[in-house]
């Protein structure tokens, strides 16, 4: 092979390599998309874990309320839902 022909061959191979590399990185299912999907998956898994913990807390609250404990039911109704008996006057104190 002559020297100029060798340079042309190397240049063609380099251009083909760069084209293939850019295709692997930037195509719709390439590396950039895959890394974005992995980040999204990690975020969703964190949200799932958080919601499972919240569900466990709510399930425990529900279980404690369904045990027919009148004092617990009354306390929850007063604190969370601002309920009161008909002969009571509610006085709210706001903290500054």
């Amino acid at each position: 092979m002559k020297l100029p022909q060798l340079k042309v061959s190397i240049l063609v191979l380099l251009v083909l390599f760069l084209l293939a590399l850019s295709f692997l990185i930037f195509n719709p299912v390439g590396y950039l998309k895959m890394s974005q999907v992995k980040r999204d998956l990690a975020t969703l898994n964190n949200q799932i874990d958080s919601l499972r913990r919240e569900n466990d807390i709510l399930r425990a609250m529900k279980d404690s309320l369904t045990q027919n404990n009148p004092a617990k039911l009354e306390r929850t109704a007063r604190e969370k839902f601002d309920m009161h008996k008909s002969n009571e006057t509610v006085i709210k104190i706001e903290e500054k």
Side-chain angles (χ1 to χ4, degrees):
M1 246 192 211
K2 298 180 185 176
L3 190 58
Q5 197 174 22
L6 181 63
K7 286 183 180 181
V8 170
S9 298
I10 291 175
L11 183 62
V12 168
L13 287 174
L14 182 61
V15 168
L16 288 175
F17 175 76
L18 291 175
L19 286 173
L21 183 63
S22 57
F23 177 76
L24 290 173
I25 292 174
F26 297 111
N27 76 21
V29 290
Y31 177 76
L32 294 178
K33 182 67 173 180
M34 183 180 67
S35 62
Q36 177 64 41
V37 168
K38 283 183 179 180
R39 283 192 299 272
D40 292 345
L41 180 63
T43 301
L44 291 173
N45 281 333
N46 288 338
Q47 288 177 350
I48 288 170
D49 291 341
S50 174
L51 290 171
R52 282 188 177 147
R53 284 190 297 272
E54 185 178 349
N55 279 344
D56 291 341
I57 291 169
L58 292 172
R59 194 172 289 115
M61 281 180 62
K62 181 190 99 145
D63 290 344
S64 71
L65 290 174
T66 56
Q67 293 174 354
N68 292 328
N69 184 347
K72 178 76 172 176
L73 285 171
E74 182 178 345
R75 179 177 171 201
T76 302
R78 290 176 181 273
E79 290 176 357
K80 296 218 180 248
F81 304 109
D82 295 327
M83 298 177 93
H84 56 87
K85 295 179 181 176
S86 59
N87 61 350
E88 293 179 331
T89 303
V90 178
I91 300 174
K92 291 187 178 183
I93 301 173
E94 294 182 19
E95 295 183 26
K96 291 186 178 181

